[in-house]
Amino acid sequence: MTKEKEIIKTETKKPVAKKSTSTNKTTTAKKTTAKKTTAKKTTAKKTNVKKVEVKENKTKAVETVQVFETKTSQEPKVKKEKNSKKKKEKLKLNFWKMTYMWFPMWNMMRKAKKISKKNIKSPGYFSEEYCYNFVKKAAKRILYVSDITVKCEGIENWLDRGVILAPNHQSNFDPVALVALNNFYLQQPLAFIAKKELWEDKKFGRFVRLMDCIPLDRKNPRSALEAFKEGKELVVDFRRSLAIFPEGTRSHSQEVGEFQPAALKVAQMANAPVVPVTIINSYQVFSKNRPKHIEIKVVFGKPIMPLKHISLKTEDLTKNTRKVVIENMEKWADKEMLLDHKIINKINLKNREDFKKTGKTKAKKAKDKKKIKDIFKVVD
């Protein structure tokens, strides 16, 4: 019995001891866990504060990067808008000349709009001769008011037949210079293959509709084929001098850009001669540092006859014309030219032989001027 009692006591003692140890352990563990949790909370707070600060810093950095990126993405748009505004080229006019020429210029713009509207409603209301002469007068007035003279060399290479002119393109003033040199007694009237946007322009659209101009959509390749077909009809049937700018866009400088390979396909379609034309100094018309008086030079190279370019590819033909244009640019950029657009327009077929390249007409006999003393002379 004593053994059993001892065993029972030991059995009863063991769980009691276990309970005490477990309770002690749990209390100590709770204390340690509480300390740890408090320490963790404090550290967590500190870490949270740090994390928040880091996150705030990160967010700030991200925001600054985003703002910078948005600015950089918006800056080219602003630049594009500014460039688009710059591309709207404005012609600088002489103030003193415009004081007495403002009414004729205003009347010219009004009349051009009236003629174009009437011809759209009823085609042929104004004849082609009348429209071409009107555009010619308008070009002369623009040159006078803007202090620009157009000089040329090799005008005899502009043949009196259906011809294709291939000039370089420096500015929107190039067609005005060519129209000013077009003498209807010596050459056929001018026609242009021009970009479609000119018809939407309020100022240029009036004059473009008065001439035989063909619109070209540069984004649509099919429109080029249609424009070439219309250009062929103008050259073959109506014997027009068709001007095509092979560069496609303005260079805004003295350098000659690359010619598009299929630009002179019309010449081979129409079996017409190609005249390389070099335009010099026309980019100065719309430049910021524009001189007061501008002298535009136009050089007409020797024509490439159809017998020579029929066997060539269109790419080779454009390369050859570009070479001639560059050669004439280097040759005549610093040389003086004597022929002026005023002198050329005075040439008729009758006095064509008497005309000399020096630009000097026949000396007129000087009339005897009467003096005041002659009045008091007594005639016997």
Side-chain angles (χ1 to χ4, degrees):
M1 289 296 288
T2 56
K3 287 181 181 179
E4 289 176 358
K5 287 179 181 179
E6 287 176 358
I7 291 163
I8 290 163
K9 285 180 182 179
T10 53
E11 287 177 356
T12 55
K13 283 180 183 178
K14 282 179 183 177
V16 172
K18 282 180 183 178
K19 284 181 182 178
S20 64
T21 53
S22 61
T23 52
N24 291 324
K25 284 180 181 178
T26 51
T27 53
T28 52
K30 283 179 181 179
K31 287 179 182 180
T32 53
T33 51
K35 287 179 182 179
K36 285 179 181 180
T37 51
T38 52
K40 281 181 182 180
K41 283 180 182 178
T42 53
T43 54
K45 285 180 182 179
K46 290 179 182 179
T47 53
N48 287 325
V49 172
K50 288 181 180 178
K51 284 180 182 178
V52 169
E53 289 177 357
V54 171
K55 283 181 181 178
E56 287 177 357
N57 291 326
K58 284 182 180 178
T59 52
K60 285 180 182 178
V62 171
E63 285 176 358
T64 53
V65 171
Q66 286 177 355
V67 170
F68 181 73
E69 287 176 357
T70 53
K71 283 182 181 178
T72 53
S73 62
Q74 287 177 358
E75 278 176 1
K77 289 182 181 178
V78 173
K79 285 181 182 179
K80 284 181 182 178
E81 289 176 359
K82 287 181 180 179
N83 290 326
S84 64
K85 289 180 181 178
K86 286 179 183 177
K87 284 180 183 178
K88 291 180 181 178
E89 297 170 339
K90 292 183 180 179
L91 185 65
K92 293 180 181 178
L93 306 175
N94 191 344
F95 176 76
W96 299 108
K97 288 181 180 179
M98 281 299 293
T99 52
Y100 61 90
M101 284 293 291
W102 68 269
F103 182 75
M105 293 293 288
W106 174 80
N107 191 22
M108 180 186 73
M109 299 297 290
R110 184 189 63 80
K111 199 172 181 181
K113 187 177 181 180
K114 182 181 176 182
I115 294 166
S116 61
K117 279 185 177 180
K118 282 193 175 181
N119 277 336
I120 289 166
K121 289 180 181 178
S122 58
Y125 186 86
F126 292 96
S127 64
E128 289 184 356
E129 185 179 357
Y130 179 82
C131 293
Y132 270 100
N133 287 321
F134 179 79
V135 174
K136 181 84 174 174
K137 288 178 183 177
K140 288 180 184 177
R141 284 183 181 176
I142 290 165
L143 290 172
Y144 174 72
V145 171
S146 55
D147 287 332
I148 297 169
T149 56
V150 182
K151 292 189 175 182
C152 73
E153 186 67 28
I155 193 71
E156 63 275 4
N157 294 323
W158 190 348
L159 303 175
D160 188 12
R161 54 178 289 187
V163 174
I164 289 169
L165 303 177
N168 60 322
H169 200 15
Q170 291 187 358
S171 68
N172 283 327
F173 205 81
D174 297 337
V176 180
L178 292 174
V179 169
L181 293 172
N182 189 7
N183 188 347
F184 301 134
Y185 290 101
L186 304 178
Q187 304 99 19
Q188 294 295 321
L190 266 170
F192 292 95
I193 293 178
K195 59 183 180 180
K196 194 177 179 180
E197 290 79 8
L198 288 176
W199 273 257
E200 298 174 358
D201 194 356
K202 292 180 180 179
K203 293 179 181 178
F204 286 103
R206 300 174 185 181
F207 297 98
V208 166
R209 291 186 179 90
L210 299 179
M211 302 173 68
D212 292 322
C213 294
I214 302 165
L216 175 64
D217 190 0
R218 293 177 290 182
K219 296 178 182 179
N220 188 5
R222 289 184 181 179
S223 67
L225 295 172
E226 294 176 357
F228 289 165
K229 288 178 183 178
E230 292 180 6
K232 180 186 173 183
E233 291 177 359
L234 286 174
V235 173
V236 176
D237 298 333
F238 299 96
R239 297 182 66 190
R240 293 285 185 266
S241 298
L242 184 64
I244 302 169
F245 296 100
E247 288 176 327
T249 56
R250 304 180 300 278
S251 61
H252 299 287
S253 63
Q254 202 76 280
E255 295 179 358
V256 180
E258 293 183 358
F259 286 7
Q260 294 181 1
L264 298 176
K265 185 70 177 175
V266 187
Q268 295 177 339
M269 291 169 67
N271 196 17
V274 179
V275 180
V277 182
T278 306
I279 298 172
I280 304 167
N281 297 332
S282 70
Y283 72 97
Q284 295 178 355
V285 176
F286 300 105
S287 63
K288 290 182 179 179
N289 299 322
R290 181 189 183 276
K292 290 182 179 179
H293 184 78
I294 297 171
E295 185 178 305
I296 297 173
K297 299 178 182 179
V298 181
V299 184
F300 295 92
K302 291 183 179 180
I304 302 169
M305 301 307 289
L307 293 172
K308 293 182 180 179
H309 68 70
I310 282 173
S311 59
L312 293 173
K313 294 180 180 179
T314 53
E315 294 179 0
D316 297 331
L317 179 60
T318 52
K319 286 178 182 178
N320 292 333
T321 53
R322 187 173 180 274
K323 284 180 183 177
V324 176
V325 169
I326 292 167
E327 286 175 0
N328 289 326
M329 178 77 75
E330 293 174 354
K331 184 178 179 181
W332 291 99
D334 298 326
K335 283 187 179 181
E336 291 185 0
M337 293 182 182
L338 300 173
L339 286 178
D340 198 359
H341 69 277
K342 295 178 183 178
I343 298 166
I344 288 165
N345 290 318
K346 291 178 182 177
I347 303 169
N348 296 333
L349 292 171
K350 294 178 181 178
N351 62 355
R352 190 174 178 179
E353 294 177 356
D354 297 333
F355 180 76
K356 295 181 181 180
K357 286 187 178 180
T358 55
K360 295 178 182 179
T361 56
K362 288 184 176 181
K364 294 181 181 180
K365 292 180 180 179
K367 294 180 180 180
D368 296 330
K369 293 182 180 180
K370 292 182 180 180
K371 297 180 181 179
I372 297 169
K373 293 180 181 179
D374 297 334
I375 297 168
F376 299 100
K377 283 182 180 181
V378 178
V379 180
D380 296 332

